[in-house]
Structures are given as C-alpha cells and as structure tokens.
C-alpha cells in the first residue's frame, strides 16, 4: 500500500485448505458487522462514483500459473475488504504450491506496517525459512510499497509478481501520481537486479476491487483516518 495512504488506514479452492500453521494468525474479523454491512450497502454506489481508470496491458512475460496465483491474491484482497480491512492480499508460492498467504491487517491490528507483503514475510519467514523464500514467488495484488520492497529484499525472494500498478490505484483514489514515480522495478533494479519483477497482471480485476472500496472509504473516513 502506498506509504502516504497509511493514515487512511473469498476463497478460490487450491485443493485442501492451508494448514493452520500456514495461515495468517492475525485477527481478521475485528470490524463490526455494522461496518461490513455498510460497505456492502454502498458497494454499488462506490463503483459509480469511482474514477474510471483504463487498465494497463498484462506483462507478456507472465505465465498461466502467474495468472492463477494473482487471482488468488485478488481474492484475498476482496476478503480483506469484506472483513473491514484494506484491499490488499499476498501469496507465497513454492514449487507450484501456495505455502503462505496474508491479507492486509492494518485495520484489525492497528499496526500500520501490517501490509499484505510485509505481513506475510514477517509472519512466515520464521516458520518456512529463508530457503523457501529464495525458491518461491511472491504474488501481490497491488504493486508493493517502498516499505514492503525493503522486506522483499531482506527476505531473499528472487521473483515477485504484482497485479495492479501503484500509480493506477492512486488514480482511483483521486491522487495525482508524481511525474516520475518510484516503482518497485526501479528500487529492485538499483539494489538487487537478481530479483525478477513481473506485472501488471489482470489489472482490470484489481482496479475493480479498488474502485469498489476507496470512494466508500474516503467518504466514510476521510483522508486523515488514523
């Protein structure tokens, strides 16, 4: 999630459910039923009020498997919203199988660092070990922010795939991206070029998630929610 938005601060079957030790242990349903009901009530209106953003073309180097796992990250983002959180999800895949996943939990934990990517890394690195991250691919529903890129660099990951471009969902929110935005590709390219970054992928789907959330969130909380 973009750092400047910090103050603002659904499941596809992949065989059997993940073991309990590999699921996000953070409280995911702390939002009140009233808040979730209100979000559902305003969903259609929010879509109408959202700023239309033309999705970027898929990164042609992404594989069919990448599409499957990005779809999973989008499902986690939707689930996060349904539970009163923010629209971001992340998945770690090793040898073609999901071994860890995490939904943004900044709202439920009141911890502004619990973004999907950083939350996944900090939660599962002690359980899975550095080798799993080195062999794996991290799938993020939206382009990781600078904070999460730092975690990616330190976790030993060598491949990252993201769904929705950061500047694209900034436009949905109504922000105006900088003329030369700092992207994950630039940060990785200047710090560890051995890491491969792919994306965007299925951005139309990702933008739809943001378009259904941010107009309602801004109207409900404003830009200064803490």
């Amino acid at each position: 999630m973009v750092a400047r938005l910090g103050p603002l601060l659904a499941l596809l079957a992949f065989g059997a459910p993940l073991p309990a030790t590999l699921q996000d242990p953070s409280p995911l349903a702390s939002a009140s039923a009233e808040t979730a009901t209100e979000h559902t009530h305003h969903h259609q209106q929010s879509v109408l009020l959202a700023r239309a953003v033309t999705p970027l073309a898929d990164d042609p180097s992404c594989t069919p498997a990448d599409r499957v796992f990005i779809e999973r990250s989008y499902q986690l983002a939707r689930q996060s919203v349904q539970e009163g959180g923010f629209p971001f999800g992340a998945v770690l895949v090793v040898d073609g199988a999901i071994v860890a996943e995490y939904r943004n939990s900044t709202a439920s934990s009141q911890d502004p660092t619990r973004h999907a990517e950083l939350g996944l890394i900090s939660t599962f690195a002690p359980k899975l070990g550095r080798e799993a991250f080195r062999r794996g691919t991290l799938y993020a529903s939206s382009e990781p922010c600078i904070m999460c890129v730092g975690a990616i660099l330190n976790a030993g990951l060598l491949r990252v795939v993201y769904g929705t471009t950061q500047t694209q969902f900034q436009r949905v929110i109504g922000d105006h991206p900088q003329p030369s935005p700092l992207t994950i590709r630039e940060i990785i390219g200047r710090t560890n070029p051995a890491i491969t970054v792919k994306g965007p992928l299925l951005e139309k789907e990702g933008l739809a998630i943001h378009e259904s959330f941010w107009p309602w969130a801004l109207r409900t909380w404003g830009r200064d929610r803490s």
Side-chain angles (χ1 to χ4, degrees):
M1 186 175 181
V2 187
R4 63 189 291 188
L5 295 175
L8 268 180
L9 325 161
L11 298 178
L12 176 67
F14 286 96
L18 290 175
T21 57
L22 296 183
Q23 295 184 24
D24 170 16
S26 64
L28 294 172
S30 63
S32 67
E34 180 180 352
T35 299
T37 300
E38 182 182 0
H39 178 263
T40 300
H41 177 73
H42 288 295
H43 173 82
Q44 290 182 327
Q45 182 181 6
S46 296
V47 172
L48 293 175
L49 294 174
R51 292 162 175 81
V53 178
T54 302
L56 299 176
D58 288 347
D59 184 334
S61 65
C62 289
T63 68
D66 290 335
R67 298 174 71 87
V68 171
F69 296 122
I70 277 294
E71 172 62 33
R72 175 58 177 157
S73 74
Y74 283 150
Q75 291 179 341
L76 292 169
R78 291 190 196 95
Q79 186 173 356
S80 178
V81 171
Q82 292 167 359
E83 294 169 343
F86 290 85
F88 303 91
V91 174
L92 179 66
V93 174
V94 179
D95 298 332
I98 295 176
V99 298
E101 54 187 30
Y102 198 93
R103 297 173 284 276
N104 181 295
S105 62
T106 56
S108 61
S109 68
Q110 294 299 299
D111 180 348
T113 71
R114 302 304 280 180
H115 290 195
E117 303 91 337
L118 177 54
L120 184 150
I121 291 168
S122 63
T123 299
F124 294 105
K127 301 175 182 179
L128 299 175
R130 189 175 182 84
E131 179 63 16
F133 283 84
R134 188 190 68 78
R135 291 166 42 213
T137 295
L138 178 69
Y139 292 88
S141 62
S142 293
E143 181 178 356
C145 71
I146 295 173
M147 176 181 72
C148 292
V149 173
I152 288 167
L153 287 165
N154 284 283
L157 283 155
L158 293 177
R159 190 170 187 269
V160 179
V161 181
Y162 68 87
T164 304
T165 308
Q166 179 175 294
T167 53
Q168 290 283 85
F169 76 75
Q170 280 185 277
R171 291 185 176 96
V172 171
I173 296 168
D175 288 343
H176 299 286
Q178 297 297 318
S180 300
L182 185 60
T183 68
I184 183 175
R185 280 188 172 87
E186 181 176 354
I187 300 171
I188 294 297
R190 295 172 66 175
T191 52
N192 186 355
I195 300 175
T196 299
V197 178
K198 305 289 184 181
L201 184 59
L202 302 177
E203 188 170 84
K204 180 178 179 180
E205 184 172 347
L207 286 172
I209 299 170
H210 287 288
E211 288 167 354
S212 71
F213 174 79
W214 289 109
W216 169 83
L218 292 172
R219 184 173 59 250
T220 303
W221 298 323
R223 289 184 177 270
D224 298 321
R225 179 174 185 260
S226 58

